[in-house]
Each structure stands twice: as structure tokens, then as C-alpha cells.
């Protein structure tokens, strides 16, 4: 039986308490498989980002279960969560979130540094990752010297630096033109299909839907029926 | 290893400059205020502290140096008869009036001592020598007060309390806490100027024999000589400082300024470091998201604060030391001893690290979804 990348059961996230309590997520069940591109759709405030944050172990759930490769992360101590993130998850953000004071190479190296890889090994691996995303000639460039597409590719290289099995991308094409957005989606698609990583993408960009293996809609904190099954 | 702390600081030079400006201002303010306070404290008592005496003997109940009361000089012999006493010398310290060539009067603090003994005399002599003070009606003044006392040259004749006096030497850096410049003369001259009887003195300065326990000697002299107060030089120094700093209220003003300088400096440093950290809050959120542990983020933030503190301190202290150097050429001195430099450095580091720890609290409790916001 195939091991799930992420198994979510009866996941609830409640903000506030008493009469002012608001459910951001309510009884969410979802399986995410290795090698698939899963897209999360939904209107603003539907709970997409909350779900992504909980899967990414940067937000704690109120109740329920989230297993990452079998490891239960709900209730895991806050001291252990960074390691889970570092070992399993790569983030790609809408705003790129590159460190402006670090060069493209150093932005990638910082993840390697966190994993304990330093010196020539770190330098070589960062250069290799940037080469793979087509930025071999820009390894020493500062973020401010890069275009939006190039920044997102550095962010992808950084997300891959820890060799994660799960990539969580929040609106990765929102800040990009259509051509660059398509390039980025192709890259993410490749990460899933050729490298076997689970790629979860939150997007409003309909151009990205073509790259989805599965589309899940979330509304009012609850999962609706899948809108699309693997067609890409 | 990527030094995010260092890079964060040096990348945005304008922001770093603002941070440094805050720290430099704070260090400068605190150092100058404390230096002024220490300068005042030292100035009030340096005639005592630099006297080279081990004990000071005063009339009973004298509260400060400038308020000495005459007592019989035969007590000098009682003091000399105490085992452990090497020397005992008479001393006069009293406010007097210096007549300027314009006819105006200027208050001075006249110090009369025995030029043969060396105790209780001037220091940092730049012109003339102590031997010159053995002559009648001769005085030493400090270069700082040449203008104030209208002294232009050695040999100039002036008038003190209506009596003739001749300037035979200059000192450098012997200041007065009050507006009255110290003027040194022989004990005999001082007796004449003030009309103190020949068998009277205001103070007795005692030098102990080598190896004698000073406190023990003080007790024994105290038991032997009646109707006087016997104090070690350190005790008398503290009494003098207490009078001027607390008793008159003058020092309270200076001390309040120093404390305010420290507080304002501390607040500015804290605010500066806090802002500098919070400006990077989204980056710390990203660091958390990509797997950095809390301790990693602590280290980045604290390192950032310590680098800022160290560079800011070096510049701020450098400026303060220049100010201190310049002040030595004036009548108001800013004294910055090495222990003050070290203490202020530790304090600056503590302030910066504490402020960064407060901002760490904010970082650790930030809304994790901040990383998903469009930058």
C-alpha cells in the first residue's frame, strides 16, 4: 500500500473563543499522495492558507490529525516542529520571501546551513540547484537585481534545498506574467511527476489548473467534492 | 555559514545608520553625563585626595573642607607623639578674596601648606617649583583660571584680602567645584592672609610610617588628641563629596542629569534595537517557515543586537573621549575612567540584547501566516 505524503483527518482550526469563536477549518479530511500536484481553490477567507499553514507545521490545529509520512504533527511539541518542516517541507510564497540581504546562492544556502551542510558542499549544492532552475548565471545576484520570475525560481531552488518530499506553494504565479507563470508551473509539475514530490498549490490563477492532478475546493473551512481528477 | 545577522545589518545602510545613530547618541549622552558627574565628584575632593596624607585632622564637627575651624597647633605635637606617625603638617583651606587689576573682587579657595613637607600642596606644576612658595607672599595659580584671575605672567603682583601676593608658579588641571579657583601658598602666608593666629591651624595632615595600619592609627590618634575629628583621607574625601553632592543639592542636579542620561540613552537604545528587529519580522517568519529553530532565530537577533551595540558603542565612546579630552582644557571636566568605559559597554550590550529579547518575544508570537502575505 502506497504511503501517503499527508493524511488529514477531521482537522479543525478555531480562532478566538466563546461567542466570538470562528472556525477557519471544520472537519477537514484530505489525502495527499507523493508525485501528485494538488490544487486548493476557494474564495478569500475560505481556509486555504490556514490549511497550508497547518500542513506546513507553522500553525497548530485545534483538533484532528495531520500525518506527514505517518508522523502525527498535531500536538507535536513546538521544539520538534522546525525539524519536521526542515526535513519534509519546502515552501514557495506568493511574495517570494527571499532574504534581501543575501545573494541568490546564499538564499538557497541558508536552508542547507539549517540542515548542517556547510562549506564547499553547501556552495556546490546551492549552485547546482540554481543551475537546475535556470539561474546558473545569477548565483551571486541580489534579489533586487532579479525579475519576479527569477525570484520565484530562486524560491523554488530554496524550497528544494532541504530535499523535501512535500512542496507547499501559495499563489506561486500571482506576481508573475503569464509566460513566467507557466514556466514556474511546469517546474512544479516536474517536481511532482519526475521527482515524486507531493506539490500542494493554493491558487486563484485559472491558467495553473492545467497542471493540476487534482483540484480540491475549500469553502467555509470545509472541503467540497473534488472538482477535477488527474488530467494533466 | 551564512551570517544573516551581519548581512541584515549591513545590507540596508540607511537603516543601519539610523540604528547606529540611536546607539551613538545614547552612549554619548550617558558617558558625558556620567563623566560630568564623576568629574564634579573628583573636583570637589581632589585637594584632599591628592594631599598624599594618610589622615586628616579637623576641628570637631567640620562638615567639609571649606568650612575648617581653627584649633591649637600644639595638637600637632600630640599627633607626632603617637606611635606610627611619620609626619604631621599644618594646613589651611579657606575661601578668600582676590582683587583683580580692574578693582573687582574674585573669590578664591586659598590652600596653605608646608612647602618643605610636600603634603597638601599643588600637583601638575607646569611653571615654577615648590621652593618658590617658601618666600613671603608667593602663590601658585592654575592655568585654567589665568583669565578669570587676570594673571598674565610669573612674577605678577596681585592682592589677596588686601595683602600683596606674587604669582610664582602655575599648575594644570586643579579645578574648583565652586566658582572659586584654588590658589596655593605656604601655611605661613595663609595664616597672614586670613589673620589666623600663629599658634592656630585649620587642619593637620598626617603621614603614617610605612606598614602601619591606617585605620588603627586613626583610632589611636583619635584617642590621644581631644576635641578633633580624625579621618582617613578616604573618609574625609567621602565626607567632602557627600557634602557637595548631597548636602548642597548641587550634586543632586548633576546626578539626576547622569541618571536621566542613562535612562534616556537606555530607552533610545531599546527603541532603536526593537525597531531594527521588528523591521525584519517577516524575514524571521520566513526563517521559521523554512525550518529554523527558535534558538537559531534567537541567535540571529541577538547577534544583530550585539554587532549594533559594539559598533555604536565604539563610535559613541570615541566621540565621548574626544569630548572628555577637550573638557580637560576647560574648568568643567568630563572624566571617563576605564571602569566607566567597561561598565557602559556591558550596559549597552545588556540594553541592546534586552531590547532584542523583547522583540524576539514578538517574533516568536507573530502570526505564522504573515509569511503568506504579499511583501
Amino acid at each position: 500500500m502506497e504511503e501517503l505524503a499527508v493524511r488529514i483527518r477531521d482537522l479543525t482550526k478555531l480562532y478566538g473563543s466563546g461567542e466570538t469563536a470562528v472556525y477557519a477549518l471544520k472537519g477537514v479530511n484530505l489525502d495527499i499522495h507523493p508525485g501528485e500536484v494538488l490544487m486548493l481553490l476557494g474564495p478569500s477567507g475560505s481556509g486555504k492558507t490556514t490549511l497550508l499553514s497547518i500542513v506546513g507545521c507553522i500553525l497548530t490545529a485545534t483538533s484532528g490529525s495531520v500525518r506527514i509520512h505517518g508522523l502525527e504533527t498535531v500536538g507535536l511539541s513546538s521544539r520538534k516542529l522546525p525539524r519536521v518542516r526542515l526535513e519534509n517541507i519546502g515552501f514557495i510564497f506568493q511574495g517570494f520571501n527571499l532574504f534581501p540581504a543575501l545573494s541568490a546562492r546564499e538564499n538557497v544556502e541558508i536552508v542547507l546551513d539549517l540542515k548542517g551542510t556547510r562549506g564547499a558542499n553547501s556552495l556546490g549544492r546551492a549552485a547546482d540547484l540554481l543551475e537546475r532552475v535556470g539561474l546558473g548565471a545569477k548565483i551571486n545576484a541580489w534579489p533586487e537585481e532579479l525579475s519576479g520570475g527569477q525570484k520565484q525560481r530562486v524560491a523554488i531552488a530554496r524550497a528544494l534545498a532541504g530535499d523535501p518530499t512535500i512542496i507547499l506553494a501559495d499563489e506561486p504565479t500571482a506576481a508573475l506574467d503569464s509566460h513566467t507563470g507557466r514556466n514556474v508551473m511546469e517546474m512544479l509539475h516536474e517536481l511532482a511527476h519526475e521527482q515524486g514530490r507531493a506539490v500542494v498549490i493554493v491558487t486563484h490563477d485559472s491558467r495553473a489548473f492545467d497542471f493540476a492532478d487534482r483540484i480540491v475546493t475549500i469553502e467555509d473551512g470545509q472541503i467540497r467534492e473534488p472538482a477535477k481528477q488527474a488530467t494533466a | 555559514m551564512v551570517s544573516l545577522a551581519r548581512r541584515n545589518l549591513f545590507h540596508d545602510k540607511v537603516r543601519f545608520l539610523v540604528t547606529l545613530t540611536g546607539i551613538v547618541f545614547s552612549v554619548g549622552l550617558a558617558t558625558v553625563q556620567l563623566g560630568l558627574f564623576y568629574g564634579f565628584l573628583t573636583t570637589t575632593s581632589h585637594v584632599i585626595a591628592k594631599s598624599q596624607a594618610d589622615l586628616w585632622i579637623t576641628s570637631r564637627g567640620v562638615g567639609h573642607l571649606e568650612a575648617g575651624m581653627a584649633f591649637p597647633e600644639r595638637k600637632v605635637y600630640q599627633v607626632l607623639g603617637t606611635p606610627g606617625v611619620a609626619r604631621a603638617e599644618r594646613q589651611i583651606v579657606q575661601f578668600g578674596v582676590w582683587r583683580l587689576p580692574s578693582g573687582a573682587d574674585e573669590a578664591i579657595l586659598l590652600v596653605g601648606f608646608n612647602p618643605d613637607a610636600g603634603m597638601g600642596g599643588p600637583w601638575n606644576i607646569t611653571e615654577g617649583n615648590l621652593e618658590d612658595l617658601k618666600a613671603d607672599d608667593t602663590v601658585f595659580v592654575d592655568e585654567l583660571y589665568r583669565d578669570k584671575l587676570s594673571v598674565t605672567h610669573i612674577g605678577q603682583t596681585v592682592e589677596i584680602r588686601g595683602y600683596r601676593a606674587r604669582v610664582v608658579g602655575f599648575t594644570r588641571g586643579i579645578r574648583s567645584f565652586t566658582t572659586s579657583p584654588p590658589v596655593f601658598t605656604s601655611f605661613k602666608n595663609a595664616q597672614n592672609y586670613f589673620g589666623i593666629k600663629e599658634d592656630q591651624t585649620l587642619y593637620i595632615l598626617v603621614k603614617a610610617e610605612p606598614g602601619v595600619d591606617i585605620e588603627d592609627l586613626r583610632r589611636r590618634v583619635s584617642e590621644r588628641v581631644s576635641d578633633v575629628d580624625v579621618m582617613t583621607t578616604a573618609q574625609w574625601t567621602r565626607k567632602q563629596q557627600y557634602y557637595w553632592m548631597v548636602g548642597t543639592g548641587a550634586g543632586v542636579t548633576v546626578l539626576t542629569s547622569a541618571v536621566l542620561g542613562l535612562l534616556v540613552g537606555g530607552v533610545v537604545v531599546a527603541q532603536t534595537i526593537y525597531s531594527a528587529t521588528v523591521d525584519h519580522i517577516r524575514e524571521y517568519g520566513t526563517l521559521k517557515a523554512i525550518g529554523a529553530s527558535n534558538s537559531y532565530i534567537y541567535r540571529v537577533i541577538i547577534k544583530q543586537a550585539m554587532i549594533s551595540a559594539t559598533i555604536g558603542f565604539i563610535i559613541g565612546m570615541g566621540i565621548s573621549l574626544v569630548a572628555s579630552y577637550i573638557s580637560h582644557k576647560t574648568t568643567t571636566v568630563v572624566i571617563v575612567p576605564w571602569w566607566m568605559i567597561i561598565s557602559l559597554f556591558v550596559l549597552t550590550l545588556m540594553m541592546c540584547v534586552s531590547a532584542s529579547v523583547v522583540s524576539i518575544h514578538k517574533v516568536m508570537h507573530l502570526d505564522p501566516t504573515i509569511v503568506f502575505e504579499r511583501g
Side-chain angles (χ1 to χ4, degrees):
Chain A
M1 188 180 160
E2 180 204 46
E3 186 198 43
L4 288 172
V6 183
R7 179 180 178 272
I8 302 169
R9 291 292 177 271
D10 205 19
L11 184 68
T12 298
K13 178 64 184 179
L14 192 62
Y15 286 111
S17 59
E19 289 181 2
T20 58
V22 175
Y23 279 97
L25 295 173
K26 199 171 185 181
V28 170
N29 293 297
L30 185 66
D31 290 338
I32 303 168
H33 303 271
E36 79 165 333
V37 177
L38 174 74
M39 283 194 191
L40 274 178
L41 302 185
S44 293
S46 59
K48 304 184 301 289
T49 302
T50 302
L51 182 59
L52 208 63
S53 301
I54 293 174
V55 173
C57 301
I58 57 175
L59 189 65
T60 53
T62 306
S63 64
S65 164
V66 176
R67 287 182 181 273
I68 292 176
H69 295 296
L71 174 72
E72 179 61 63
T73 60
V74 174
L76 200 64
S77 98
S78 59
R79 293 182 61 177
K80 290 182 179 165
L81 289 174
R83 182 49 62 176
V84 176
R85 283 198 291 273
L86 194 58
E87 299 292 343
N88 299 282
I89 294 161
F91 276 103
I92 298 167
F93 306 99
Q94 177 186 0
F96 318 126
N97 292 26
L98 299 181
F99 298 102
L102 303 182
S103 67
R105 176 177 57 77
E106 289 165 335
N107 261 285
V108 178
E109 269 191 285
I110 198 159
V111 176
L112 298 166
D113 184 35
L114 290 170
K115 290 198 86 168
T117 308
R118 282 167 199 153
N121 286 347
S122 164
L123 211 132
R125 172 126 174 91
D128 180 47
L129 284 165
L130 286 166
E131 187 73 45
R132 276 164 58 188
V133 297
L135 287 177
K138 297 274 185 183
I139 60 171
N140 291 320
W142 299 103
E144 66 200 25
E145 297 167 347
L146 300 173
S147 67
Q150 288 171 328
K151 284 179 191 170
Q152 198 57 296
R153 280 190 278 164
V154 174
I156 292 172
R158 184 177 67 184
L160 293 175
D163 200 18
T165 53
I166 302 161
I167 304 283
L168 303 178
D170 179 52
E171 302 277 9
T173 58
L176 307 176
D177 62 61
S178 60
H179 176 69
T180 315
R182 188 168 183 82
N183 280 347
V184 166
M185 287 310 301
E186 281 171 356
M187 243 178 251
L188 294 175
H189 191 263
E190 187 185 308
L191 292 177
H193 286 235
E194 293 181 17
Q195 298 178 21
R197 302 176 206 269
V199 177
V200 181
I201 303 172
V202 166
T203 186
H204 286 103
D205 186 356
S206 57
R207 295 168 301 180
F209 297 166
D210 293 343
F211 294 91
D213 296 319
R214 193 154 54 107
I215 296 175
V216 169
T217 306
I218 186 164
E219 274 181 39
D220 299 328
Q222 292 179 306
I223 298 281
R224 301 299 174 205
E225 287 303 304
K228 173 190 175 184
Q229 291 290 347
T231 58
Chain B
M1 183 178 172
V2 180
S3 177
L4 186 58
R6 189 166 48 81
R7 290 301 192 80
N8 269 349
L9 286 177
F10 297 124
H11 178 71
D12 189 339
K13 292 181 177 62
V14 174
R15 184 157 44 190
F16 185 48
L17 209 63
V18 170
T19 306
L20 280 187
T21 304
I23 298 170
V24 167
F25 167 78
S26 304
V27 170
L29 181 70
T31 306
V32 170
Q33 288 294 347
L34 284 174
L36 266 175
F37 175 71
Y38 190 67
F40 280 131
L41 203 63
T42 305
T43 305
T44 58
S45 59
H46 60 178
V47 169
I48 301 170
K50 296 266 191 182
S51 66
Q52 298 179 46
D54 293 315
L55 298 178
W56 277 71
I57 299 170
T58 73
S59 288
R60 183 147 287 170
V62 171
H64 59 101
L65 183 69
E66 296 79 4
M69 286 182 294
F71 61 89
E73 70 163 2
R74 68 170 183 278
K75 291 186 190 290
V76 170
Y77 305 105
Q78 289 176 298
V79 173
L80 281 169
T82 310
V85 170
R87 288 201 321 267
E89 298 293 341
R90 297 164 300 168
Q91 173 101 351
I92 289 171
V93 182
Q94 203 158 44
F95 285 118
V97 177
W98 177 286
R99 170 75 39 95
L100 297 173
S102 64
D105 287 338
E106 192 68 61
I108 57 167
L109 183 70
L110 197 66
V111 181
F113 72 104
N114 179 0
D116 285 324
M119 276 195 296
W123 61 98
N124 290 349
I125 295 169
T126 56
E127 277 187 72
N129 61 67
L130 287 180
E131 293 292 310
D132 300 334
L133 286 177
K134 289 181 184 171
D136 287 345
D137 306 328
T138 52
V139 294
F140 269 39
V141 298
D142 197 273
E143 289 174 346
L144 291 169
Y145 299 100
R146 282 175 79 142
D147 288 343
K148 187 179 174 79
L149 299 177
S150 300
V151 175
T152 54
H153 60 277
I154 292 281
Q156 184 177 339
T157 303
V158 297
E159 203 176 290
I160 297 173
R161 282 175 58 90
Y163 295 94
R164 177 182 171 278
R166 188 163 48 92
V167 177
V168 293
F170 288 111
T171 59
R172 180 176 294 155
I174 303 181
R175 294 175 180 77
S176 169
F177 177 66
T178 64
T179 53
S180 310
V183 171
F184 287 85
T185 188
S186 67
F187 178 81
K188 215 171 156 40
N189 285 335
Q191 269 186 325
N192 292 336
Y193 288 135
F194 291 116
I196 296 170
K197 289 180 187 167
E198 276 196 15
D199 62 347
Q200 301 269 294
T201 183
L202 265 60
Y203 298 101
I204 298 172
L205 274 57
V206 178
K207 190 76 186 166
E209 286 175 350
V212 170
D213 182 274
I214 303 301
E215 180 52 34
D216 184 51
L217 181 64
R218 186 199 69 76
R219 189 179 44 75
R220 281 188 283 117
V221 172
S222 200
E223 285 166 1
R224 189 181 181 96
V225 186
S226 61
D227 299 324
V228 292
D229 286 336
V230 184
M231 287 168 277
T232 64
T233 298
Q235 288 167 341
W236 183 221
T237 298
R238 281 196 296 275
K239 195 169 182 178
Q240 168 78 352
Q241 289 174 344
Y242 182 84
Y243 172 78
W244 282 108
M245 303 312 284
V246 181
T248 63
V252 175
T253 312
V254 185
L255 182 62
T256 305
S257 298
V259 172
L260 279 178
L262 266 181
L263 284 177
V264 171
V267 169
V268 172
V269 162
Q271 172 64 27
T272 302
I273 291 290
Y274 181 81
S275 303
T277 309
V278 170
D279 279 348
H280 290 286
I281 202 151
R282 194 174 145 85
E283 289 164 38
Y284 299 125
T286 304
L287 259 184
K288 278 180 90 168
I290 65 175
S293 61
N294 286 351
S295 64
Y296 185 94
I297 298 172
Y298 286 159
R299 284 201 300 275
V300 170
I301 293 174
I302 289 174
K303 192 173 171 188
Q304 215 168 290
M306 291 178 80
I307 293 172
S308 302
T310 305
I311 297 176
F313 181 84
I314 290 170
I315 299 171
M317 186 51 75
I319 293 170
S320 304
L321 290 176
V322 170
S324 168
Y325 176 78
I326 293 168
S327 79
H328 277 80
K329 295 176 166 44
T330 71
T331 53
T332 305
V333 67
V334 175
I335 300 178
V336 187
W338 63 268
W339 55 261
M340 191 187 288
I341 297 174
I342 292 171
S343 306
L344 282 172
F345 180 58
V346 172
L347 200 66
T348 307
L349 277 183
M350 281 168 59
M351 290 280 192
C352 289
V353 171
S354 307
S356 70
V357 166
V358 174
S359 52
I360 283 172
H361 182 78
K362 189 173 174 72
V363 170
M364 291 306 147
H365 292 85
L366 64 86
D367 177 2
T369 59
I370 190 177
V371 291
F372 295 117
E373 289 169 8
R374 182 83 200 274

